[in-house]
């Protein structure tokens, strides 16, 4: 390994208090809307969000300047880009990663931190409905057991502290939703996964001190993680294996010239002799030359509370993360310093700060009405993207078949993102056909176009909301 002493390994600060920020997040999409106590500053640079506040100050990487030649260029420093780059470097392939802002500055470093199986919104039933039994089994285990195990393997290999915890709960907001949850558990067992236990109302109350639910399921395979620590940990491993990172280096265009691919930023050009990986989430469509309208953007919202009176075990005695079955899901989990992370919603236009805080606070108090003192110290919003069929859009294309891309995460997929990064590397070195399995899933262009998201998403939510009211026992999620 090429050990670089100037690289700072991500370190979680166990007993840290939070510092007041002086700026919003670098990409402009994810903002603080309320600050907490300024009694102890833990980072002179002023962290940009909750996750950053719980990590020791980290390194920065210089922008690309001038021309370079390497074997592979990875565009994007989130989980997909970092995982792909790490696995390429581990295989001895000369790789350069370009990030337009800072590592983990987008959704990868600021999401809900919940680990759940499935391919975006494709779960076991969707795979059985769309694939043969053997194909469904293979894809399910790829996106569940293999994905979770890979994160554990990487954490062990590089000695990473990621706040990794196991177990995840889906809670039914209507008694009729239990039928769907039982069917989903049955589909998983049919695919060889027996990690799900059905919980009645009384059993669920042992995990969630709320009267909002009628039962649920406990998934021993899922769990939670510090997503920014994971993102930085992948980059740490990448650089330890000789990889190069350039931040503040937005890619303007990709040009295929003969058998090589040239990647242009404002201040430099990299010639990739063997291939390019596009890993920029919602912005992927800007770099695709064809069929670039398979996703539609939407905004989602996350907050973190002040320390909970009596501790988070008064709300979640077993510490398991939760998401529910309502149309606009609530999801929440305990985080360090006895705080609760709480998120949900999906809108076509980003709400302002006041509306974000008001919405998340109202949902907090709806779930835990006896804890009306709960308030947010952190809240932010960010962009994700939806595909029409709910599965992630994975591609291998370009004139020379050397350009890989993945997008359309639909707000799901921390573990799967890391696993797909390995699948891209495996495809490059001809180790297996895992990535071909993903590219075989067909995606239909969204005729409404990305610019109509502010109209299309509210309309879709209205129609689904009417359907939910007409059949409240039918589980519908957006």
């Amino acid at each position: 390994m090429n050990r670089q002493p100037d690289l700072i390994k991500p370190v979680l600060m166990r007993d840290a208090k939070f510092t007041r920020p002086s700026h919003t997040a670098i990409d402009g999409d994810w903002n603080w809307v309320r600050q907490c106590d300024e009694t102890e500053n833990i980072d002179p640079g002023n962290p940009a969000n909750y996750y950053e506040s719980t990590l020791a100050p980290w390194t920065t990487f210089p922008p690309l300047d001038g021309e370079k030649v390497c074997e592979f260029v990875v565009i994007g420093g989130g989980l997909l880009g970092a995982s792909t780059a790490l696995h390429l470097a581990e295989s001895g392939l000369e790789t350069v990663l370009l990030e337009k802002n800072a590592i983990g500055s987008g959704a990868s470093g600021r999401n809900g931190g919940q680990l759940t199986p499935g391919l975006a919104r494709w779960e076991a039933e969707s795979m059985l409905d769309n694939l043969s039994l053997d194909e469904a089994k293979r894809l399910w285990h790829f996106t569940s057991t293999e994905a979770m195990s890979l994160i554990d393997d990487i954490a062990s290999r590089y000695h990473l502290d990621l706040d990794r915890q196991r177990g995840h709960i889906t809670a039914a907001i209507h008694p009729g939703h239990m039928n769907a949850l039982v069917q989903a558990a049955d589909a998983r067992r049919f695919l060889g996964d027996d990690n799900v236990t059905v919980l009645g109302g009384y059993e669920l109350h042992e995990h969630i001190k709320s009267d909002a639910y009628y039962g649920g399921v406990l998934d021993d395979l899922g769990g939670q993680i510090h997503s920014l620590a994971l993102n930085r940990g992948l980059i740490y491993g990448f650089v330890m294996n000789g990889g190069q990172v350039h931040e503040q280096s937005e890619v303007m265009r990709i040009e295929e010239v003969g058998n090589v691919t040239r990647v242009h930023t404002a201040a430099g050009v990299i010639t990739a002799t063997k291939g390019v990986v596009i890993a920029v989430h919602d912005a992927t469509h800007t770099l695709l030359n064809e069929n670039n309208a398979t996703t539609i953007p939407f905004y989602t919202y996350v907050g973190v509370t002040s320390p909970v009176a009596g501790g988070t075990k008064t709300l979640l005695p077993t510490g398991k993360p939760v998401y529910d079955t309502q149309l606009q899901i609530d999801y929440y989990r305990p985080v360090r310093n006895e705080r609760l992370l709480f998120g949900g919603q999906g809108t076509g236009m980003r709400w302002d700060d006041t509306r974000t805080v008001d919405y998340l606070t109202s949902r907090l108090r709806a779930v835990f009405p006896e804890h009306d003192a709960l308030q947010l110290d952190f809240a932010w919003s960010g962009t994700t993207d939806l595909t029409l069929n709910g599965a992630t859009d994975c591609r291998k294309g370009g004139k020379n078949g050397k350009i890989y891309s993945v997008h359309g995460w639909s707000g799901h997929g921390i573990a799967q993102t890391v696993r797909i990064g390995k699948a891209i590397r495996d495809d490059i070195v001809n180790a297996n056909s895992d990535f071909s399995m993903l590219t075989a899933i067909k995606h239909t262009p969204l005729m409404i176009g990305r610019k109509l998201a502010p109209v299309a998403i509210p309309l879709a939510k209205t129609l689904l909301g009417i359907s939910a009211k007409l059949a409240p026992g039918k589980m519908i999620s957006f």
Side-chain angles (χ1 to χ4, degrees):
M1 288 186 177
N2 178 20
R3 298 183 181 274
Q4 298 192 13
D6 59 334
L7 180 71
I8 301 174
K9 186 176 183 178
V11 176
L12 288 164
M13 302 179 70
R14 290 290 167 195
D15 300 315
K17 294 185 178 180
F18 304 109
T19 184
R20 183 175 184 267
S22 63
H23 57 81
T24 58
I26 299 167
D27 64 1
D29 272 344
W30 301 78
N31 302 312
W32 289 52
V33 295
R34 181 177 178 180
Q35 291 81 31
C36 52
D37 290 340
E38 301 176 52
T39 54
E40 288 189 26
N41 288 339
I42 62 171
D43 180 0
N46 292 315
N49 70 2
Y50 160 78
Y51 287 116
E52 190 173 336
S53 294
T54 57
L55 287 168
W58 206 54
T59 190
T60 59
F61 299 93
L64 177 67
D65 185 15
E67 295 202 14
K68 282 188 176 183
V69 178
C70 63
E71 291 179 297
F72 287 93
V73 173
V74 175
I75 305 169
L79 289 170
L80 176 64
S83 175
T84 306
L86 168 62
H87 286 98
L88 288 170
E90 286 181 334
S91 294
L93 296 166
E94 185 183 20
T95 305
V96 176
L97 183 146
L98 302 175
E99 163 57 42
K100 77 171 184 178
N101 293 314
I103 298 299
S105 60
S108 287
R110 299 156 192 266
N111 54 62
Q114 297 200 19
L115 297 174
T116 56
L119 185 66
R121 292 183 181 270
W122 262 29
E123 297 190 7
E125 290 173 285
S126 299
M127 294 179 190
L128 283 167
D129 288 343
N130 289 276
L131 304 170
S132 70
L133 177 57
D134 287 345
E135 291 171 333
K137 283 183 176 179
R138 181 184 174 195
L139 182 58
W140 178 256
H141 286 282
F142 175 95
T143 61
S144 57
T145 53
E146 293 179 23
M148 305 298 174
S149 294
L150 179 60
I151 287 180
D152 293 335
D153 290 346
I154 292 171
S156 175
R157 193 153 67 241
Y158 294 99
H159 308 288
L160 303 175
D161 183 358
L162 304 175
D163 267 359
R164 171 81 159 96
Q165 297 181 48
R166 288 164 176 77
H168 187 279
I169 290 172
T170 305
I173 65 162
H174 188 280
H177 292 180
M178 288 300 297
N179 293 329
L181 294 180
V182 170
Q183 289 174 2
D186 180 57
R188 287 180 61 168
R189 284 193 294 270
F190 189 63
L191 294 178
D193 178 355
D194 60 358
N195 288 289
V196 178
T197 303
V198 177
L199 304 173
Y202 293 111
E203 292 176 296
L204 185 69
H205 204 258
E206 295 178 357
H207 298 278
I208 311 171
K209 293 304 180 184
S210 171
D211 295 325
Y213 308 115
Y214 294 86
V217 294
L218 170 62
D219 178 4
D220 290 327
L221 185 62
Q224 55 188 309
I225 201 164
H226 193 298
S227 52
L228 182 58
L230 172 61
N231 200 159
R232 290 181 176 179
L234 294 170
I235 292 294
Y236 169 76
F238 171 55
V239 176
M240 292 286 281
N241 282 279
Q244 297 181 51
V245 179
H246 294 287
E247 293 178 315
Q248 309 303 325
S249 300
E250 181 177 4
V251 172
M252 314 305 293
R253 63 188 175 93
I254 300 171
E255 175 187 24
E256 293 184 277
V257 181
N259 291 324
V260 302
T261 308
R262 290 171 61 81
V263 178
H264 297 257
T265 71
V269 179
I270 301 182
T271 299
T273 60
K274 292 187 176 179
V276 170
V277 179
I278 302 173
V280 293
H281 196 47
D282 176 59
T284 300
H285 71 282
T286 64
L287 297 174
L288 295 176
N289 291 325
E290 57 185 15
N291 197 22
N292 62 355
T294 59
T295 63
I296 189 171
F298 73 98
Y299 295 93
T300 187
Y301 305 88
V302 190
V304 173
T305 69
S306 302
V308 176
T312 56
K313 287 190 180 298
T314 61
L315 309 177
L316 301 170
T318 61
K320 300 290 190 292
V322 179
Y323 67 78
D324 67 17
T325 62
Q326 66 177 323
L327 175 62
Q328 290 287 306
I329 68 169
D330 292 330
Y331 62 84
Y332 46 93
R333 65 187 185 93
V335 292
R336 57 184 54 238
N337 301 102
E338 301 298 339
R339 298 170 185 263
L340 191 73
L341 180 148
F342 196 100
Q345 261 291 355
T347 60
M349 297 181 68
R350 191 173 70 192
W351 288 342
D352 62 28
D353 296 346
T354 300
R355 188 173 182 184
T356 299
V357 172
D358 288 347
Y359 172 77
L360 292 174
T361 302
S362 71
R363 291 307 309 157
L364 264 169
R365 294 175 181 171
V367 176
F368 299 109
E370 296 180 0
H371 294 261
D372 58 3
L374 286 171
Q375 62 178 359
L376 298 175
D377 279 340
F378 301 75
W380 61 92
S381 64
T383 314
T384 186
D385 51 357
L386 291 163
T387 58
L388 190 61
N389 68 3
T392 303
D393 185 350
C394 301
R395 305 187 194 182
K396 178 181 178 182
K399 295 176 182 177
N400 301 312
K402 295 181 177 181
I403 298 178
Y404 292 78
S405 67
V406 183
H407 65 311
W409 288 103
S410 302
H412 293 261
I414 296 174
Q416 298 75 16
T417 311
V418 177
R419 180 65 184 86
I420 291 176
K422 180 179 181 296
I424 292 173
R425 187 281 310 271
D426 289 349
D427 190 78
I428 288 168
V429 301
N430 297 314
N432 54 54
S433 60
D434 287 345
F435 195 72
S436 295
M437 169 181 64
L438 301 172
T439 61
I441 299 171
K442 303 303 179 185
H443 293 269
T444 303
L446 291 158
M447 302 307 294
I448 56 175
R450 296 179 61 84
K451 292 183 179 179
L452 292 182
V455 175
I457 289 178
L459 177 61
K461 287 169 61 176
T462 298
L463 294 175
L464 290 171
I466 292 172
S467 177
K469 288 181 179 179
L470 292 175
K474 182 179 180 182
M475 196 171 81
I476 304 171
S477 63
F478 181 74

